[in-house]
Amino acid sequence: MNGKHNFFMRRAIELAGQGMNLHAGGPFGAVIVKDGEIIAEGFNQVTSTNDPTAHAEVIAIREACKKLGSFQLDDCVIYTSCEPCPMCLGAIYWARPQKVFFACNREDAAQIDFDDRFIYNELAVDMKNRRIEFVELLREEAIPVFQEWKNRDDVKKY
């Protein structure tokens, strides 16, 4: 079974190099596998698309979900060339794959100036003390929309 894992990880690493060589973004690649076959893949496209969310994992998740017609990656495995950043980690948890394999770790990424430590640190800081100012506004007007969602029986819960 290790041979298959290695095959899929090598493809993720290949995609990282491909995206880098196309000047699409940072050196990151990802593939999503279901039933032993690649159903989606992606490489980082942040700088080429001016989209800070265009990370390899997010692109692959979007493609896989579209292909599966689902917002969840049931019975899927993600192979990514680097330990996911906090944003990708969140997307992965929301997508609910079975497992994630990664090659490089966050320390390796920090060595090439992709250091996400400040985001991990910000998550632990009280919102009023974060680097970017967050201001609660019109909560009382927004709560009724949440209540309507909670009370509806015609929505797809997730």
Side-chain angles (χ1 to χ4, degrees):
M1 188 63 179
N2 215 19
K4 281 189 176 189
H5 294 307
N6 291 346
F7 174 82
F8 296 131
M9 184 59 76
R10 285 188 179 110
R11 178 61 183 153
I13 294 167
E14 180 183 337
L15 286 164
Q18 182 182 342
M20 177 183 62
N21 291 329
L22 290 171
H23 302 285
F28 306 99
V31 299
I32 299 179
V33 174
K34 183 169 183 160
D35 299 326
E37 291 189 25
I38 295 174
I39 62 165
E41 53 186 36
F43 51 74
N44 185 292
Q45 297 177 38
V46 169
T47 57
S48 61
T49 62
N50 294 319
D51 180 354
T53 69
H55 289 202
E57 298 91 334
V58 171
I59 288 171
I61 288 169
R62 289 174 180 161
E63 183 182 326
C65 288
K66 185 185 283 187
K67 217 173 254 185
L68 295 172
S70 173
F71 54 84
Q72 290 187 204
L73 297 177
D74 295 328
D75 302 317
C76 291
V77 177
I78 298 177
Y79 295 83
T80 180
S81 65
C82 186
E83 178 181 354
C85 75
M87 177 185 69
C88 293
L89 183 64
I92 287 166
Y93 271 92
W94 283 117
R96 298 174 182 96
Q98 187 176 61
K99 187 180 275 193
V100 177
F101 290 91
F102 63 94
C104 295
N105 60 41
R106 67 175 85 170
E107 289 80 20
D108 299 323
Q111 290 296 314
I112 60 165
D113 297 324
F114 289 93
D115 192 350
D116 297 324
R117 191 174 355 190
F118 77 98
I119 298 173
Y120 287 107
N121 291 343
E122 283 287 289
L123 291 171
V125 173
D126 186 83
M127 193 171 290
K128 60 183 168 276
N129 295 321
R130 290 187 176 162
R131 289 187 196 183
I132 297 175
E133 185 177 7
F134 285 80
V135 180
E136 188 176 290
L137 183 64
L138 297 179
R139 178 176 178 263
E140 61 282 349
E141 292 183 29
I143 289 292
V145 178
F146 275 18
Q147 289 302 317
E148 183 179 344
W149 169 266
K150 182 179 178 183
N151 296 328
R152 291 181 76 151
D153 57 5
D154 64 340
V155 295
K156 192 174 198 175
K157 304 282 184 175
Y158 55 98

